[in-house]
Amino acid sequence: MTLTDACCNTEATNAQWQAKGEDKVLSTKIDGHERKVYRTGPKDSKRGVIAIHDPLGLHPTTFQVYDRLAVSNGGFQVAAPHMFKDGPVPSSLLGDRAAFWAWIGDNGDFKKNHFMELILAAVEDLRADGCTTFSIFGQCWGAYIAIQAASEAGQPFLATGGPHPSFTTIEAVKNIKCPLILLASKDEADMIPIIESVMHNNFPVESFHKRFDTVPHGWCGSRGDWSDPEQLKAGLEVVDLLGQYFAKVAAVAESKQ
């Protein structure tokens, strides 16, 4: 697996953004527990997007990405589950790679923590609110979770991936059931071979990659600060690219309904 140093040693920023959406309780309990989801976007949109935050949880720039995506390219209902039942990674672990890895092993494991159940519960609430198509993406570790979800048998997603993805390798994407959009920062390894590895799948829409060489890992999540003009410029482009891509895969699916 690939993990940048910035992923496990950089704290969340004090960025500013007033969240436009709201937390809701999922209709379905997960492993006996009520869980929350952040919902944003036009309630009449039939296009749903599941968003998976990074290990530091939901922060202002994270909300900004979700809120801006929700009103881009025709609009989406965006649902971002609170992924960690007991809260995000403690800041005291940042800088200690071994401790960070151990925490991710306990709290970030896909199967152990019932993440697919959590994600599908968010999908079903979107479906109940009128959505008929679904994509999924994440930031950092969240992209890895989104890719795992899109690799499950019977998964409902039309696209997966996300900005500054961690743990994303050719091995990690070998079973995906939909195309990838990978938007790397200057800190990630070369992701073109990963994109090339899924081209043989002949998905209805081609997978997509772009590298942003002037911004650091995490700039579209908890570690982002869009008061920095370079981060803002690259971040707005990421939002637009994600919106274009999710709208494109949705339009292809809708044409076949």
Side-chain angles (χ1 to χ4, degrees):
M1 293 185 181
T2 57
L3 182 70
T4 68
D5 287 338
C7 191
C8 54
N9 66 17
T10 307
E11 294 192 21
T13 64
N14 293 316
Q16 300 298 309
W17 178 261
Q18 184 64 46
K20 305 298 190 291
E22 61 181 346
D23 275 346
K24 293 185 175 183
V25 176
L26 286 170
S27 299
T28 304
K29 289 184 177 181
I30 308 301
D31 195 32
H33 300 278
E34 285 192 342
R35 301 292 293 271
K36 290 183 179 180
V37 61
Y38 178 73
R39 291 285 300 269
T40 185
K43 292 180 171 57
D44 60 347
S45 175
K46 294 184 179 300
R47 295 173 174 178
V49 174
I50 301 294
I52 312 295
H53 58 71
D54 66 39
L56 297 184
L58 292 160
H59 287 270
T61 303
T62 319
F63 287 125
Q64 183 170 181
V65 170
Y66 299 163
D67 291 340
R68 288 184 181 276
L69 175 63
V71 295
S72 75
N73 291 274
F76 306 90
Q77 293 195 55
V78 176
H82 291 245
M83 297 302 292
F84 305 119
K85 181 172 66 69
D86 299 319
V89 63
S91 60
S92 61
L93 299 185
L94 298 176
D96 185 335
R97 195 178 182 93
F100 184 90
W101 267 101
W103 189 92
I104 287 289
D106 286 337
N107 299 277
D109 181 81
F110 188 81
K111 300 291 186 183
K112 177 181 177 181
N113 292 284
H114 306 279
F115 287 149
M116 194 64 184
E117 295 169 49
L118 178 61
I119 289 165
L120 289 179
V123 167
E124 288 311 307
D125 281 5
L126 286 173
R127 197 187 304 276
D129 288 336
C131 291
T132 57
T133 63
F134 308 94
S135 292
I136 185 170
F137 81 103
Q139 297 111 312
C140 181
W141 162 89
Y144 178 58
I145 297 301
I147 288 167
Q148 288 187 79
S151 300
E152 293 285 298
Q155 64 82 37
F157 302 112
L158 301 175
T160 189
H164 45 83
S166 291
F167 308 110
T168 303
T169 62
I170 291 174
E171 178 69 16
V173 304
K174 69 179 184 181
N175 293 318
I176 60 165
K177 308 297 192 291
C178 62
L180 275 172
I181 176 168
L182 298 179
L183 304 169
S185 76
K186 67 182 180 65
D187 296 317
E188 278 80 56
D190 182 11
M191 299 204 159
I192 293 176
I194 298 171
I195 293 291
E196 290 175 342
S197 76
V198 302
M199 288 299 191
H200 70 279
N201 290 323
N202 296 317
F203 295 127
V205 174
E206 232 180 53
S207 292
F208 180 84
H209 166 271
K210 181 166 182 177
R211 177 171 293 276
F212 293 82
D213 283 321
T214 62
V215 288
H217 176 84
W219 101 96
C220 285
S222 61
R223 301 170 178 92
D225 182 0
W226 289 10
S227 65
D228 178 322
E230 199 63 44
Q231 288 198 31
L232 174 62
K233 178 183 176 183
L236 293 178
E237 185 174 354
V238 161
V239 169
D240 189 51
L241 287 171
L242 288 171
Q244 286 183 40
Y245 200 74
F246 296 154
K248 185 175 184 179
V249 296
V252 170
E254 289 160 358
S255 71
K256 299 177 181 178
Q257 291 176 350

